[in-house]
Amino acid sequence: MLLVGGVAAALALSACGSSTPAARKATLKAYVASLGASPDLQVTVKGSFTGAGSTKAQQILKALTFGMNFSSTNGAPLSQAGANVNTEITAVVNGKTFLDIRQVSKNLYFKLDATALGSIPGVKISPSEIAAVQLVFGGRWFVLPQTTLNSIVPHKNVNTAKAVEDRAVASKIIDDITNLIDTTPYKSLSNGGYSETGSIYPVAKAIYPTLIAMHDHVKMPTASQAKGSFTLGVTTSGSNASGASLSVTAPNAKKGTATASISFTFAHASQSVSAPSSSTPLPTSLLREFAAGASSSSSSSSSQ
């Protein structure tokens, strides 16, 4: 989630304006830098889906809010804190926290409240199923120490080279899109922010050279295949970015046109992320079974 949020936020921030591409890139860097300029950062994420064929998805998205909280443990700005950062991710359903995950001192904690699922329209989970999950996991904190995780999933199984390659590709795609956005007209908003609208086809053309370099079977879509438009926006408070948004409008199969949107709100309140006062270690046997299942699924997928 963090990677997705960072990518989309960076793309939206690249819509912020100055009169020339060089000046706009400088402005972009300043706004992105503001996100890590203090010891704490809170990010609120909302999504929506409107238009043709969107009713069921929008019911679920309307009920969901995601939160991300980053806190430096040594008092330094996040951009300078290195590994000294605690993280919290929450999923909230109609104002009730469904899932709270915290990474504190390299240990992973989570708490689940399954009763929140019952308030999501269209989610087919019976009261008895919710009660069963709540009985096992609900209302208490569990902890997965790093030592336990390392014993179940040894570091030697991690494909470091592949991870580095994936990050490089993601970074190159962001650069491709940012360069395109830097040369696209934008408009200033009355609230001090900026917005920019363009078509999807030029975006496809911009990232195609990077994709074809990694996968030679990738085909460049035609203009008729890459229909639709995007709108990027950023809101500011002084020299800081206070929000960002991305929406894409495109044909939705044969149902008509639909718009998918995601928005981010940024804040810098003094809000530390700490470990729960008490927690229950996850059973090692359960974790090993889960890790074995995940490994088996991964091997099966790669062999196809």
Side-chain angles (χ1 to χ4, degrees):
M1 182 185 292
L2 175 59
L3 176 60
V4 173
V7 169
L11 292 179
L13 287 173
S14 63
C16 57
S18 296
S19 58
T20 66
R24 293 172 70 185
K25 288 184 179 180
T27 305
L28 166 62
K29 290 181 179 179
Y31 282 131
V32 172
S34 75
L35 299 179
S38 69
D40 302 284
L41 172 64
Q42 298 85 43
V43 184
T44 302
V45 186
K46 286 285 294 181
S48 69
F49 187 44
T50 59
S54 64
T55 302
K56 291 183 179 180
Q58 176 59 12
Q59 286 179 335
I60 297 175
L61 290 173
K62 185 178 180 180
L64 290 174
T65 301
F66 294 96
M68 294 178 282
N69 186 6
F70 308 94
S71 178
S72 168
T73 60
N74 59 6
L78 291 172
S79 60
Q80 302 174 21
N84 301 303
V85 176
N86 290 340
T87 306
E88 178 179 32
I89 298 175
T90 58
V92 179
V93 179
N94 289 321
K96 189 174 187 178
T97 301
F98 160 61
L99 181 63
D100 191 336
I101 302 174
R102 300 180 188 179
Q103 183 177 0
V104 180
S105 300
K106 298 183 180 180
N107 296 325
L108 193 65
Y109 301 85
F110 80 88
K111 183 171 70 172
L112 177 72
D113 185 354
T115 62
L117 293 177
S119 65
I120 302 179
V123 174
K124 298 180 180 179
I125 302 178
S126 69
S128 60
E129 290 173 323
I130 292 176
V133 174
Q134 187 70 5
L135 180 64
V136 177
F137 295 104
R140 54 180 174 151
W141 283 98
F142 290 87
V143 60
L144 177 59
Q146 184 186 37
T147 53
T148 301
L149 180 61
N150 289 345
S151 69
I152 297 171
V153 186
H155 286 296
K156 65 181 180 180
N157 290 342
V158 178
N159 192 334
T160 304
K162 183 63 167 59
V164 171
E165 178 183 336
D166 289 344
R167 286 196 296 269
V169 172
S171 177
K172 183 63 171 64
I173 289 175
I174 292 174
D175 287 342
D176 292 340
I177 299 177
T178 300
N179 289 334
L180 171 67
I181 293 171
D182 282 336
T183 57
T184 301
Y186 69 98
K187 65 178 181 180
S188 298
L189 304 177
S190 58
N191 62 1
Y194 306 88
S195 71
E196 183 172 299
T197 298
S199 63
I200 294 176
Y201 182 60
V203 176
K205 290 177 61 178
I207 66 176
Y208 178 72
T210 298
L211 295 179
I212 194 64
M214 298 302 303
H215 304 284
D216 56 13
H217 62 278
V218 175
K219 295 183 178 180
M220 175 65 197
T222 64
S224 60
Q225 293 172 329
K227 294 180 179 179
S229 62
F230 68 87
T231 298
L232 300 169
V234 60
T235 55
T236 60
S237 177
S239 59
N240 294 326
S242 58
S245 63
L246 168 64
S247 66
V248 176
T249 299
N252 184 16
K254 297 181 180 180
K255 299 178 180 179
T257 300
T259 299
S261 304
I262 186 170
S263 65
F264 303 84
T265 302
F266 309 118
H268 298 278
S270 180
Q271 184 176 326
S272 62
V273 177
S274 57
S277 58
S278 63
S279 57
T280 302
L282 283 170
T284 304
S285 58
L286 177 64
L287 294 171
R288 291 187 185 280
E289 182 179 346
F290 176 78
S295 176
S296 175
S297 299
S298 176
S299 299
S300 176
S301 299
S302 62
S303 63
Q304 294 178 355

